[in-house]
Amino acid sequence: MANKPRGLGKGLDALFGDMEVNITPETSEDGGKESKNTTIADSNEGINYIDINNIKPNSNQPRKTFDESKLEELAESIKEHGLIQPLVVRKSPNGYEIVAGERRWRAARKIGIREIPAIVRELSDEENMLLAIIENMQREDLDPIEEAEGINQMIERYGLSQEQVSKSLGKSRPYITNQLRLLKLPKQIRRMVSEGKLSSGHVRALITIDNEEKQIKLAIQAVEQGLSVRQVEALAKANKNIKRTAAKSNKKSADVQRVEEDLKVALGTKVNLNQKGRKGRIEIEFYSKDELERLIELLKTLG
């Protein structure tokens, strides 16, 4: 394949090698499409022409949504120029399962292609999952939430470390960490991202807000008012400044601090005095069992 992206480990390069396949659909007598004019160059893998109805989507496919308008565009491109790249599949109990190329498979079904070229590979569930994620990320086919869910599945289901995921996907470690943070957002915001209403830049700003209700409120405002990433960042920053100001306003008075210091000297440990009106609470800290016993004995003598 020309212009192969780098930094993806074995990735798709290992899957496809230097293979190029061109399939031009031809209308059959009953109006369907059949494969014709096949060219295979520098191939080290065998191409199998498989009944398209015997191929099923990948159960581990990280991509959950497919833009119908883009599928229509791809279908028209395949109809006019042919299928340049074969699918990669693996055998399943009821036929074959797609490892890479589900968009091509869906587009080919739209224009009635009966048989589709595919490379059959023997892959474990883990390899299948990893290659499905790599293929989608390489083509930038995943929205940020789908990508984050795919990365999380690599970690949770297959026990990979963030460092291993980083190397497998050709992404930096901070990138992996930041994508995983997206999964902590409320479902309502994640849905906005998947629907393309909010970008990765928007949600990175929203993550800095530690109040879920305020996150959702700002996300809705961003969508309804068409706010830019910088505008959302500014509003998120203003929210943090308000919180810091409120924290400062709750700062303990000099009298309370003086009482805390007197108790610290008397008890030999840190003491917190939390007062609300006429009521309050005194917290005495200890750092070991021996210190707890010492404090108990000391308090008994006060009685």
Side-chain angles (χ1 to χ4, degrees):
M1 296 182 290
N3 301 323
K4 295 176 186 175
R6 300 299 176 187
L8 289 175
K10 292 183 179 180
L12 294 185
D13 289 350
L15 273 178
F16 295 117
D18 295 319
M19 179 176 297
E20 181 178 344
V21 179
N22 182 32
I23 306 296
T24 302
E26 181 182 57
T27 305
S28 62
E29 293 180 359
D30 60 357
K33 303 289 188 296
E34 293 187 274
S35 301
K36 187 181 179 183
N37 300 335
T38 303
T39 303
I40 302 177
D42 299 325
S43 173
N44 293 319
E45 296 273 359
I47 297 293
N48 296 269
Y49 291 89
I50 301 173
D51 187 326
I52 201 166
N53 294 315
N54 290 336
I55 300 176
K56 305 302 179 187
N58 187 342
S59 58
N60 288 319
Q61 162 70 270
R63 186 175 186 181
K64 306 303 179 186
T65 58
F66 293 85
D67 188 312
E68 283 300 318
S69 63
K70 290 184 178 180
L71 279 179
E72 290 288 349
E73 290 177 5
L74 179 58
E76 286 302 313
S77 176
I78 293 174
K79 186 176 181 180
E80 182 176 354
H81 303 292
L83 188 61
I84 304 302
Q85 187 173 292
L87 275 63
V88 177
V89 300
R90 67 169 185 165
K91 289 184 178 179
S92 68
N94 298 313
Y96 298 88
E97 182 181 58
I98 299 170
V99 176
E102 184 169 340
R103 286 184 73 249
R104 279 165 276 152
W105 174 78
R106 287 175 179 267
R109 286 174 63 92
K110 282 182 172 293
I111 56 177
I113 290 180
R114 291 180 176 177
E115 292 186 335
I116 194 165
I119 302 168
V120 181
R121 300 297 301 271
E122 292 184 8
L123 298 169
S124 66
D125 288 342
E126 180 177 350
E127 290 170 330
N128 181 30
M129 173 67 185
L130 294 178
L131 291 173
I133 293 174
I134 289 171
E135 192 230 9
N136 280 287
M137 288 185 66
Q138 181 172 334
R139 302 178 197 285
E140 299 181 349
D141 280 344
L142 300 179
D143 69 51
I145 299 302
E146 289 173 333
E147 184 177 312
E149 290 173 342
I151 291 171
N152 187 59
Q153 192 170 1
M154 291 169 72
I155 293 170
E156 296 294 330
R157 185 169 178 177
Y158 298 110
L160 274 67
S161 67
Q162 287 193 26
E163 185 65 30
Q164 289 173 316
V165 173
S166 171
K167 291 179 179 178
S168 295
L169 301 181
K171 301 288 186 179
S172 68
R173 176 70 178 274
Y175 178 89
I176 300 300
T177 301
N178 287 332
Q179 289 303 101
L180 290 172
R181 291 176 68 194
L182 299 183
L183 299 180
K184 296 180 181 180
L185 289 167
K187 288 183 179 179
Q188 188 174 350
I189 297 179
R190 298 204 302 270
R191 185 166 58 250
M192 292 178 189
V193 177
S194 295
E195 292 172 352
K197 296 177 180 178
L198 292 174
S199 69
S200 296
H202 286 111
V203 292
R204 277 195 294 270
L206 293 172
I207 287 173
T208 64
I209 301 173
D210 57 9
N211 182 288
E212 183 174 304
E213 184 177 344
K214 290 181 178 178
Q215 283 180 332
I216 295 173
K217 184 177 179 181
L218 182 51
I220 293 173
Q221 182 182 351
V223 172
E224 291 181 346
Q225 298 180 13
L227 300 181
S228 68
V229 171
R230 287 189 178 182
Q231 288 174 314
V232 174
E233 288 173 344
L235 289 171
K237 185 176 181 180
N239 178 77
K240 291 170 68 176
N241 290 336
I242 291 172
K243 185 177 179 181
R244 278 197 292 266
T245 302
K248 287 181 180 179
S249 67
N250 293 328
K251 189 176 180 180
K252 294 177 180 178
S253 68
D255 289 338
V256 170
Q257 292 181 40
R258 187 162 48 250
V259 172
E260 286 181 340
E261 186 62 28
D262 290 343
L263 289 172
K264 178 180 178 181
V265 172
L267 298 175
T269 188
K270 185 176 180 180
V271 177
N272 291 309
L273 175 60
N274 298 308
Q275 185 177 9
K276 293 182 179 179
R278 290 189 170 187
K279 296 182 180 180
R281 183 173 66 252
I282 297 175
E283 298 176 348
I284 304 171
E285 295 189 7
F286 61 90
Y287 306 97
S288 68
K289 183 179 179 182
D290 291 340
E291 188 170 16
L292 173 60
E293 292 176 350
R294 178 186 70 79
L295 288 169
I296 292 173
E297 291 302 319
L298 180 58
L299 291 172
K300 284 181 179 178
T301 60
L302 295 178

